[in-house]
Every structure is written in structure tokens, then in C-alpha cells.
Amino acid sequence: QIEVAINNAKRAEAIRQSEECYRKAKDQLEVKVKDLEILTGLIRAVHRSSNLEEVYNVALDSIGVLENMDMAAIYLVDEEKREAVLQAHRNFPEAYIKRAARIPYPKGITWKIINSGEILNVEDAQKDPSIGPAGTELGHHGILGIPIFLKEKVIGVIYFLSYKELKFEEKELNLLSSLGDQIAIA
């Protein structure tokens, strides 16, 4: 009977592990389906609309459903005026918009991202000396700035901010970089 009890315990543990593996796979699949729906919606908007504002709004609305995203913004370069211009945003206070709707070259992290072409992923913007006063006053912590490339040239930055202290994960980086690619196509 001891052997039967041991075999039953092993079988029960194997079933529990199998169920846990299934739950994890199901959760991962649900995240991938959600990401795919976001990208599909944006791709449709890019290809059916000649209105850039609509494309920006679809992009920012689509990321509103993601966890850890409290604010988002799209800046594009105005080469003639040598400024990064705020094209669209979600949940930014009016005081920030008045202060940072146009960022002159080479000021702040926006131009740092544009000039380097590198992703900025900061766990706590409140402790990062490269974040300017307008950004610090927002009160957010996690910040992800992704360069928007057109061919091999950076034409802007898409920002995602969180009130939580966090570094965005690779799966989020991939999805949000894809959003930036679709904005560039638009």
C-alpha cells in the first residue's frame, strides 16, 4: 500500500505540473493574441487611412489596454524647425503639453533617442539625471522611449510611461517597436 500511495502522489504531482504548464501556455497565448489584435488594428488603420492623426490615435488607443501603460506620446521631427513635435498623446497633463509640445534640438532625452537611434528603458525616471524637469514633474517612474525609424533614419520617438517603477520587458519592447514601425509606414 505504501507503494500505491507513493505512485498516487507522484501521479498527482505530475497532473498538477501538467495543469500548471497548461495554464502558463494558455496565458502566454492570450497575451500573444492580444498583441496580435493590437498590431492588426493598427496595420488596418495605417493602410485604410491617409489621415495621420487617425493612425496616431489608433496606435495610442490600442496600447491603452496594456498593463503598466499609464501615458503615451508620439513625437516626430520637424527638420525645418529642428524640433521634435508632439503629434499625439494619452493621459499627459495640460501643463506638460504646454511646456514640452515642441522640443528644440538637441534638448532632453527625446533628442538623445533621435540622435542615437537607441531605445531608452528607464526603471525610475525620478532618479535618472537625463530626464528633464518637465518629464520629472509628470511623476511617472518607468519610461520606454522607442525611436521611430523610416528606412535607416530616426524620424521620431514613441513614449510609454508607467507610474510603477519597472523596466519594460522584451515582449513589450517587441510589440511597442512594431507599433513604431507602423507609425513610420503611415
Side-chain angles (χ1 to χ4, degrees):
Q1 283 188 336
I2 293 175
E3 192 174 309
V4 170
I6 291 172
N7 286 338
N8 286 344
K10 286 180 180 179
R11 196 173 299 122
E13 178 61 18
I15 290 170
R16 187 197 65 74
Q17 287 178 355
S18 178
E19 288 173 345
E20 180 64 26
C21 186
Y22 169 77
R23 270 193 295 282
K24 284 181 181 178
K26 182 179 176 255
D27 290 346
Q28 289 174 344
L29 182 59
E30 287 173 359
V31 167
K32 289 188 184 298
V33 166
K34 188 176 177 181
D35 291 353
L36 187 57
E37 288 171 351
I38 290 169
L39 279 175
T40 302
L42 183 56
I43 290 167
R44 282 188 190 126
V46 166
H47 293 288
R48 79 165 180 256
S49 177
S50 59
N51 181 342
L52 288 176
E53 190 173 320
E54 179 184 341
V55 173
Y56 302 150
N57 287 328
V58 168
L60 295 183
D61 289 344
S62 66
I63 61 101
V65 301
L66 299 174
E67 285 183 41
N68 301 322
M69 303 289 175
D70 297 308
M71 293 181 270
I74 299 169
Y75 279 91
L76 294 180
V77 173
D78 179 337
E79 289 183 2
E80 191 175 296
K81 294 184 179 177
R82 294 180 53 101
E83 295 178 322
V85 181
L86 183 64
Q87 301 295 315
H89 63 87
R90 291 294 177 274
N91 302 325
F92 277 79
E94 196 61 37
Y96 174 85
I97 296 164
K98 286 180 183 174
R99 193 168 174 184
R102 301 182 85 76
I103 302 172
Y105 178 83
K107 211 170 179 187
I109 62 166
T110 299
W111 281 102
K112 180 180 177 183
I113 295 167
I114 292 167
N115 289 331
S116 72
E118 295 177 5
I119 292 173
L120 175 79
N121 192 358
V122 175
E123 184 173 354
D124 190 355
Q126 299 303 311
K127 297 176 184 171
D128 192 307
S130 66
I131 309 296
T136 305
E137 288 173 16
L138 286 172
H140 66 290
H141 292 276
I143 182 170
L144 178 63
I146 298 178
I148 301 171
F149 284 91
L150 183 59
K151 298 182 181 170
E152 303 211 357
K153 183 177 182 184
V154 179
I155 61 166
V157 179
I158 185 166
Y159 281 110
F160 306 96
L161 294 87
S162 175
Y163 287 118
K164 297 176 186 174
E165 284 186 28
L166 67 96
K167 260 201 160 173
F168 289 88
E169 297 176 6
E170 188 172 335
K171 64 183 173 97
E172 295 163 319
L173 289 172
N174 292 337
L175 172 65
L176 300 172
S177 293
S178 296
L179 290 176
D181 293 343
Q182 290 304 310
I183 290 167
I185 289 168

